[in-house]
Amino acid sequence: MTKKIVYPGSFDPVTNGHLDIVERAAKIFDEVIVSVFCNPNKEPVFTMDERVEMLKKSTKDLHNVKVDSFSGLTTKYVHSIGGEAILRGLRAVSDFEGEFQMASMNKHLDEEIETIFLMTDTKYAFLSSSVIKEAAYFNGNIRELVPDFVYQKLRNKFKAKK
């Protein structure tokens, strides 16, 4: 049996913290599906297609990683593609409460699907897509926190808005 896990998120944009989680999960699971979630509560900087493209480019060397997108309940999506678990990254203790609540709700919705947590590398513990976007907007140095092509996309995106 192939062990398939889904790593859902908005990935707006993908960061090196996200990629740390993906790379480590790829060593543990047979197949990792990184799936861009359409979150109705967020106004993304990048389109769904742009985010999928950035993830595909970022994970192209990881042969057991696939990139997808979805909207709706994560548990229904995971079940529809034959996944066994949901992968969530934890940066700090402050993430735990919200992630615990989400994992509990997902378990209520589908008791067959587990949630697996991985701690990100401590050098990325402060990192989030929101922090990256804010720093990029004000022309902060984020080169070591995102892939090079994501850095360029952010610069171009915010240059166009100003």
Side-chain angles (χ1 to χ4, degrees):
M1 175 193 292
T2 300
K3 293 293 181 190
K4 186 186 297 188
I5 194 164
V6 174
Y7 184 26
S10 55
F11 304 107
D12 185 40
V14 61
T15 70
N16 288 345
H18 293 129
L19 296 174
D20 172 61
I21 296 291
V22 172
E23 290 166 7
R24 290 175 36 231
K27 294 175 185 173
I28 300 168
F29 296 92
D30 297 325
E31 188 174 353
V32 178
I33 311 295
V34 183
S35 197
V36 179
F37 169 65
C38 176
N39 188 338
N41 299 320
K42 290 186 178 180
E43 189 70 35
V45 169
F46 294 100
T47 67
M48 179 79 77
D49 289 342
E50 287 174 312
R51 289 179 278 157
V52 166
E53 171 80 25
M54 285 188 282
L55 279 163
K56 283 183 178 179
K57 192 169 183 178
S58 299
T59 61
K60 69 181 182 326
D61 295 330
L62 300 172
H63 302 290
N64 61 332
V65 174
K66 295 181 181 167
V67 177
D68 197 8
S69 62
F70 75 102
S71 63
L73 291 174
T74 302
T75 52
K76 286 188 177 184
Y77 170 74
V78 171
H79 191 73
S80 75
I81 63 164
E84 289 88 20
I86 298 168
L87 175 63
R88 300 297 298 168
L90 293 174
R91 294 171 297 205
V93 173
S94 57
D95 286 346
F96 181 76
E97 187 175 350
E99 292 294 344
F100 178 77
Q101 189 175 30
M102 191 181 330
S104 297
M105 183 54 149
N106 286 336
K107 192 64 161 174
H108 171 78
L109 294 171
D110 191 329
E111 63 186 30
E112 293 180 12
I113 296 174
E114 295 294 337
T115 299
I116 308 293
F117 297 101
L118 284 180
M119 295 295 299
T120 192
D121 189 300
T122 55
K123 66 184 174 188
Y124 302 124
F126 68 94
L127 194 55
S128 70
S129 294
S130 298
V131 167
I132 288 294
K133 288 183 286 195
E134 185 173 340
Y137 182 83
F138 292 109
N139 205 27
N141 182 3
I142 58 165
R143 280 192 181 271
E144 295 178 9
L145 305 175
V146 295
D148 288 337
F149 67 90
V150 172
Y151 173 78
Q152 289 303 324
K153 281 184 160 293
L154 281 163
R155 286 184 53 97
N156 293 339
K157 186 74 77 166
F158 289 131
K159 209 181 282 184
K161 286 188 174 190
K162 290 183 179 179

